[in-house]
Amino acid sequence: DAGITQSPRHKVTETGTPVTLRCHQTENHRYMYWYRQDPGHGLRLIHYSYGVKDTDKGEVSDGYSVSRSKTEDFLLTLESATSSQTSVYFCAISQGVLGGYTFGSGTRLTVV
Amino acid sequence: DQQVKQNSPSLSVQEGRISILNCDYTNSMFDYFLWYKKYPAEGPTFLISISSIKDKNEDGRFTVFLNKSAKHLSLHIVPSQPGDSAVYFCAAREGIYNNNDMRFGAGTRLTVKP
C-alpha cells in the first residue's frame, strides 16, 4: 500500500453533530485532497491542501472545513452533519508531478 | 455542472473480448486525462493517463485514445479478464502538472464474464 490511511472506515452519526475524518500519509507528499463519492456524481473535490496550513476549497466545500497542521495529517470536519453529507469520503495524495493521485480506502459516513 | 461525463453506467463483456469505456468532456482547457479503476471497499487506483499532445497511450492490455476535436476519450482493454471487473472513472484536469483540481466522471461499472 502507498502509505495512506483513513480513519474511521465507517461511521454513523446523528444530524447536527460535528464529525472529523482523518487522513494520514507516510509518503511526505505535499498535496492532499478530500473527495466524496456519490452515485451518479463520481468523485467530487471538497477541499485540498498544498502544504502545511495551506488549504483551498474544491467543488463542493459548503458545510466542510479542513486543517493541516502537519505534513502527514489532513483532517476533514463536518461542523454540523446533515443527511446530504451521507457519502463515501476518499482522501488522496500526490507528489505534484506527472501522474495520478493515490487514494485511501475511504470512509463510509452515514448521517441519520 | 459535470465537466466530465461517462454516459454508460455499466458495461458487460465476455472474457477475452475487448472492453471499450467511453468518456466525454466539456472543458476545452483540460489537457491531461486519467483513468482510475475501483474495486468495492477500496479506493480508486491510477490505471493510465494521456496528455493532450498525444492521441494514444498504451500500457500492456490497456490503451487510452484521445480525440481532442470531439472532446472524447476511450479506454480499451484487450483481452478482457474477469479480474478487470470494477468501476472505471475517467478524470481530467487543466495542466499536466496542475494538482489543484481534477474532475471525475460518474464511473462505468465493467463486468467481465468468464
Side-chain angles (χ1 to χ4, degrees):
Chain A
D1 198 40
I4 176 171
T5 55
Q6 293 183 233
S7 59
R9 290 297 311 272
H10 302 271
K11 186 169 182 67
V12 180
T13 191
E14 292 187 349
T15 299
T17 60
V19 178
T20 295
L21 309 182
R22 181 179 184 240
C23 178
H24 179 79
Q25 60 146 330
T26 57
E27 305 295 311
N28 202 35
H29 286 348
R30 179 182 174 190
Y31 293 92
M32 298 185 77
Y33 310 84
W34 277 107
Y35 281 85
R36 61 178 287 175
Q37 184 198 0
D38 303 289
H41 290 278
L43 292 142
R44 291 180 293 173
L45 181 65
I46 305 170
H47 281 278
Y48 65 95
S49 169
Y50 43 94
V52 173
K53 297 186 180 177
D54 289 324
T55 65
D56 208 344
K57 296 179 180 180
E59 184 185 0
V60 290
S61 60
D62 287 349
Y64 302 94
S65 63
V66 290
S67 66
R68 192 168 178 199
S69 58
K70 297 184 290 185
T71 299
E72 57 266 35
D73 289 323
F74 192 32
L75 304 181
L76 176 71
T77 298
L78 290 66
E79 303 291 347
S80 176
T82 66
S83 58
S84 65
Q85 293 176 312
T86 292
S87 186
V88 181
Y89 291 85
F90 288 100
C91 176
I93 59 176
S94 169
Q95 283 184 296
V97 295
L98 198 65
Y101 298 167
T102 300
F103 283 87
S105 297
T107 295
R108 182 174 293 277
L109 177 68
T110 303
V111 183
V112 297
Chain B
D1 176 30
Q2 214 158 0
Q3 299 184 36
V4 179
K5 299 178 183 179
Q6 294 176 258
N7 294 318
S8 297
S10 63
L11 174 67
S12 181
V13 299
Q14 208 66 36
E15 181 179 6
R17 307 295 286 267
I18 184 171
S19 295
I20 301 176
L21 296 96
N22 294 303
C23 178
D24 297 293
Y25 61 96
T26 58
N27 186 343
S28 58
M29 298 300 291
F30 287 150
D31 59 3
Y32 192 61
F33 306 89
L34 308 92
W35 285 94
Y36 286 83
K37 175 180 181 179
K38 185 185 178 304
Y39 291 119
E42 294 183 11
T45 56
F46 170 69
L47 190 57
I48 193 169
S49 64
I50 188 168
S51 70
S52 59
I53 61 173
K54 294 185 173 182
D55 54 18
K56 176 183 174 182
N57 189 27
E58 197 170 351
D59 184 2
R61 295 186 297 113
F62 302 90
T63 303
V64 56
F65 295 92
L66 175 63
N67 183 334
K68 285 185 292 181
S69 61
K71 295 191 182 68
H72 177 83
L73 64 155
S74 60
L75 175 69
H76 292 213
I77 306 174
V78 183
S80 301
Q81 299 173 354
D84 296 329
S85 297
V87 176
Y88 289 78
F89 291 101
C90 172
R93 67 188 193 212
E94 296 179 32
I96 291 175
Y97 296 99
N98 179 8
N99 283 276
N100 290 346
D101 194 0
M102 185 152 60
R103 299 298 176 112
F104 287 80
T108 296
R109 182 177 301 278
L110 174 66
T111 303
V112 181
K113 298 180 178 179

